[in-house]
Amino acid sequence: ARVLAADETERAQTFESYAQVFLTAKLEARSAEKMATKAVKERLPSIIDHLVAEQARWLELHDKLCACMVAESTEALLILALHVLETYRHLKAQLARLDYDDLIEAARRLIKEGTAWVLYKLDGGIDHVLIDEAQDTSPDQWDIVSSLADEFFAGESARPQPRTLFAVGDVKQSIYSFQGADPQSFTEMRARLSEQVP
């Protein structure tokens, strides 16, 4: 009756106290028997039915409130992350610096979009590719390996000696998402290289 009679401000202030009727300290649903004392149950025999119905209504509301809090927190985190990333990009440009991902992307562009002369020089200077911890290799890194391996095993090479590619790794030991690691790419690349190598 107090809650229903209160205005919105007072309801908001007493909300947590009201919630304690229906939830335990661990935010789990309180058992029906513990929502009212023995004396209250004797005086109002139907009280448990009313409290259980209100608990169900409140738990549904609680789920919606939790979803709203998660949405608000996620929005705040995304705003912060975008600001941090933009500041980071600005500082890199200002200081003329590259990070690890920039180097991978630059190497990938050089190999995939480079001139015929660049590709020729690469083909003429590489005899062996070793990929250590291959299970933690990202799709962009595999793209670089793939481009090099395509040249290794396609027709005549600029080098007379045999070309080799050696990958060391176990997909069960992958640090998922580490620097973009993708165990699925590891499995697909292993199958592809097995078909390519003569």
Side-chain angles (χ1 to χ4, degrees):
R2 270 187 59 202
V3 171
L4 292 172
D7 61 21
E8 287 185 7
T9 303
E10 191 180 347
R11 284 191 192 186
Q13 291 169 347
T14 59
F15 186 78
E16 293 301 323
S17 300
Y18 185 65
Q20 289 172 14
V21 175
F22 307 107
L23 291 182
T24 65
K26 294 182 178 179
L27 300 180
E28 296 169 350
R30 191 179 294 282
S31 68
E33 294 305 312
K34 292 185 178 179
M35 285 193 281
T37 63
K38 183 179 179 183
V40 170
K41 285 185 275 188
E42 287 174 358
R43 187 173 170 196
L44 300 166
S46 64
I47 190 67
I48 293 298
D49 291 338
H50 293 296
L51 288 173
V52 167
E54 178 62 4
Q55 182 187 52
R57 188 188 74 84
W58 195 90
L59 288 172
E60 186 179 342
L61 172 64
H62 181 256
D63 287 345
K64 290 178 181 177
L65 287 171
C66 288
C68 288
M69 286 190 288
V70 168
E72 286 179 355
S73 298
T74 302
E75 180 185 26
L77 184 62
L78 288 172
I79 290 169
L80 177 64
L82 287 171
H83 178 71
V84 169
L85 289 171
E86 189 54 42
T87 302
Y88 180 60
R89 277 193 290 269
H90 176 72
L91 283 172
K92 282 196 302 182
Q94 189 178 37
L95 298 171
R97 302 286 169 88
L98 299 173
D99 64 16
Y100 188 67
D101 288 336
D102 295 329
L103 295 174
I104 291 171
E105 181 54 30
R108 186 171 165 270
R109 270 198 326 269
L110 179 69
I111 291 171
K112 291 197 73 72
E113 302 168 17
T115 63
W117 181 83
V118 169
L119 296 175
Y120 171 77
K121 293 300 282 183
L122 282 172
D123 189 42
I126 301 174
D127 294 321
H128 182 71
V129 173
L130 168 64
I131 307 127
D132 195 16
E133 301 295 343
Q135 75 276 0
D136 293 325
T137 303
S138 72
D140 285 343
Q141 292 169 314
W142 279 122
D143 205 18
I144 294 169
V145 171
S146 176
S147 296
L148 293 172
D150 287 347
E151 291 299 317
F152 271 24
F153 309 116
E156 290 295 319
S157 170
R159 314 268 297 194
Q161 58 263 48
R163 319 292 285 283
T164 57
L165 187 145
F166 188 69
V168 181
D170 181 353
V171 74
K172 294 188 293 295
Q173 295 180 2
S174 178
I175 305 171
Y176 293 91
S177 297
F178 172 71
Q179 296 178 344
D182 178 17
Q184 182 61 34
S185 295
F186 173 85
T187 305
E188 290 170 1
M189 194 64 179
R190 182 174 60 187
R192 179 179 170 189
L193 289 170
S194 295
E195 293 175 1
Q196 274 186 305
V197 177

